[in-house]
């Protein structure tokens, strides 16, 4: 009888514990999820609170249904965790990390680390931020801190989190159409070619073009620069630049040599070649005459001077 009572009490306690845990998880879910405009499937989307405060990612469609972007839910039993952005991080994005304590208990001597190296001295600030993230900011991050009452009062260290800052767009490549040696009087188009990732396809880039350290077209939305009537004056070293509107990310292309041949150059080269051939022929005749003269002088020397009686 006593054993059955103990078992029943244990089962009741376990049920209460599971119910309490389920309520917490459900409460957390209801606090962090929100569905908007469920009038029809194409207008309905679910987002986390973080998604609703920032620029939204592009939803995807499948067989007429529109689905929101997925999110990650991690349940941890650690005293301390490092909270990081769920969305992909790209160049130019702000990066904010938070050292979160169990039940938000107070912390002191909080330190953030990347790849094992401290990013600053210990302090009370639970957040570490990078205003403009770069690819070099990628690494394994973690934090540590000391709990104050009512915590355990001992130093704790959070598990590391891998942060990857992705390239927003590669360095552009400059292309010339129809060629890098257009005919004089004809058109030539320079294209500054790069590509944004699908997640940031809505990002607007501005393009500018340069020739021999001078700006030939300042920033604009068009990735092309046209020369309607090419001339020898357009010959030179060109490159382009692609940049975000806030100028947080900008990259340059390698230089491209453009040569516009002079239409009269072929004629002048022909004339010069003819003159060189004439000079060569003249030198040939002169050489033959010099040989004849040399042979005549040798003959006179062999005969010796004439004798008179």
């Amino acid at each position: 009888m006593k054993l059955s009572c103990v078992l029943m009490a244990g089962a009741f306690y376990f049920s209460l514990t599971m119910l309490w845990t389920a309520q917490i998880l459900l409460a957390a879910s209801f606090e962090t999820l929100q569905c908007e405009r469920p009038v029809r499937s194409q207008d309905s989307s679910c987002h986390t609170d973080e998604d609703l405060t920032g620029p939204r990612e592009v939803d995807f469609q499948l067989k007429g249904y529109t689905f929101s972007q997925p999110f990650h839910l991690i349940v941890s039993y650690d005293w301390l965790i490092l909270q990081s952005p769920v969305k992909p991080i790209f160049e130019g994005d702000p990066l904010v990390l938070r050292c979160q304590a169990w039940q938000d208990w107070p912390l002191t001597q909080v330190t953030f680390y990347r790849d094992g190296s401290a990013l600053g001295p210990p302090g009370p600030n639970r957040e570490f931020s990078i205003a403009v993230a770069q690819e070099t900011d990628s690494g394994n991050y973690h934090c540590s801190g000391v709990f104050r009452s009512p915590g355990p009062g001992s130093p704790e260290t959070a598990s590391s989190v891998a942060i990857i800052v992705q390239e927003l767009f590669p360095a552009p490549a400059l292309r010339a159409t129809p060629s890098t040696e257009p005919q004089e009087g004809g058109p030539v188009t320079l294209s500054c070619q790069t590509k944004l990732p699908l997640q940031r396809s809505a990002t607007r880039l501005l393009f500018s073009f340069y020739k021999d350290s001078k700006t030939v077209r300042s920033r604009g939305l068009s990735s092309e620069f046209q020369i309607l009537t090419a001339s020898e004056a357009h010959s030179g070293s060109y490159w382009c630049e692609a940049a975000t509107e806030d100028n947080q990310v900008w990259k340059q292309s390698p230089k491209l040599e453009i040569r516009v041949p002079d239409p009269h150059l072929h004629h002048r080269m022909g004339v010069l070649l003819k003159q060189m051939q004439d000079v060569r022929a003249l030198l040939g005749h002169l050489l033959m005459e010099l040989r004849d003269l040399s042979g005549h002088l040798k003959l006179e020397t062999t005969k010796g001077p004439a004798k008179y009686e």
Side-chain angles (χ1 to χ4, degrees):
M1 181 66 179
K2 292 182 178 180
L3 178 60
S4 60
C5 291
V6 171
L7 292 176
M8 290 178 62
F12 179 72
Y13 175 77
F14 180 75
S15 300
L16 288 178
T17 304
M18 293 299 295
L19 180 60
W20 176 78
T21 304
Q23 288 177 345
I24 290 179
L25 291 176
L26 287 174
S29 300
F30 284 122
E31 288 176 357
T32 58
L33 293 180
Q34 179 177 349
C35 277
E36 295 185 331
R37 298 184 305 234
V39 179
R40 50 180 179 164
S41 60
Q42 292 183 350
D43 294 336
S44 177
S45 60
C46 296
H47 304 271
T48 63
D49 288 341
E50 181 183 357
D51 291 341
L52 294 175
T53 58
R56 296 179 180 174
E57 304 292 342
V58 179
D59 293 341
F60 60 92
Q61 293 187 351
L62 179 64
K63 295 183 178 181
Y65 293 91
T66 301
F67 297 87
S68 66
Q69 293 293 322
F71 69 96
H72 299 279
L73 177 62
I74 300 176
V75 179
S76 175
Y77 295 97
D78 295 335
W79 286 105
L80 202 61
I81 61 172
L82 181 66
Q83 292 180 333
S84 62
V86 176
K87 297 179 182 179
I89 306 169
F90 290 91
E91 295 174 296
D93 290 347
L95 174 60
V96 179
L97 303 176
R98 179 175 175 81
C99 200
Q100 181 64 41
W102 169 256
Q103 294 188 350
D104 205 25
W105 283 343
L107 286 173
T108 185
Q109 299 184 32
V110 180
T111 308
F112 291 86
Y113 303 84
R114 182 180 66 209
D115 296 330
S117 299
L119 298 173
N125 196 349
R126 296 187 182 191
E127 287 190 351
F128 172 78
S129 62
I130 299 176
V132 181
Q134 304 293 333
E135 286 186 277
T136 53
D137 293 319
S138 300
N140 292 308
Y141 288 76
H142 74 275
C143 67
S144 65
V146 177
F147 278 86
R148 294 186 295 177
S149 178
S154 60
E156 297 289 341
T157 300
S159 299
S160 63
V161 176
I163 301 295
I164 300 176
V165 181
Q166 302 180 46
E167 184 180 55
L168 182 60
F169 60 88
L174 188 61
R175 300 284 186 264
T177 305
S179 73
T180 56
E181 293 186 359
Q183 294 182 353
E184 185 172 31
V188 59
T189 301
L190 300 179
S191 301
C192 194
Q193 300 177 359
T194 188
K195 186 177 181 180
L196 289 164
L198 179 62
Q199 300 95 321
R200 297 299 175 88
S201 58
T203 300
R204 296 208 306 177
L205 296 180
L206 302 179
F207 300 90
S208 51
F209 294 82
Y210 304 88
K211 171 183 175 288
D212 298 333
S213 301
K214 296 181 180 179
T215 304
V216 294
R217 202 205 71 183
S218 56
R219 288 185 173 180
L221 293 174
S222 176
S223 60
E224 293 185 348
F225 171 66
Q226 291 186 336
I227 301 174
L228 299 178
T229 305
S231 65
E232 190 178 4
H234 291 112
S235 297
S237 181
Y238 289 79
W239 73 94
C240 68
E241 180 182 281
T244 55
E245 289 184 298
D246 57 8
N247 202 35
Q248 297 290 4
V249 183
W250 56 271
K251 298 179 182 181
Q252 292 182 347
S253 72
K255 293 184 178 181
L256 180 68
E257 294 294 328
I258 301 294
R259 296 299 174 201
V260 182
D262 184 353
H264 305 291
L265 181 61
H266 181 73
H267 174 71
R268 290 201 294 264
M269 290 294 293
V271 173
L272 180 60
L273 181 61
K274 180 64 170 61
Q275 292 175 347
M276 292 177 64
Q277 290 175 345
D278 292 341
V279 171
R280 181 178 179 182
L282 181 61
L283 289 175
H285 289 302
L286 181 60
L287 182 60
M288 292 178 62
E289 291 182 2
L290 287 175
R291 286 178 178 176
D292 292 341
L293 180 60
S294 177
H296 181 71
L297 291 176
K298 280 186 178 181
L299 183 60
E300 290 294 331
T301 304
T302 303
K303 290 181 178 180
K307 295 182 179 180
Y308 298 95
E309 295 180 353

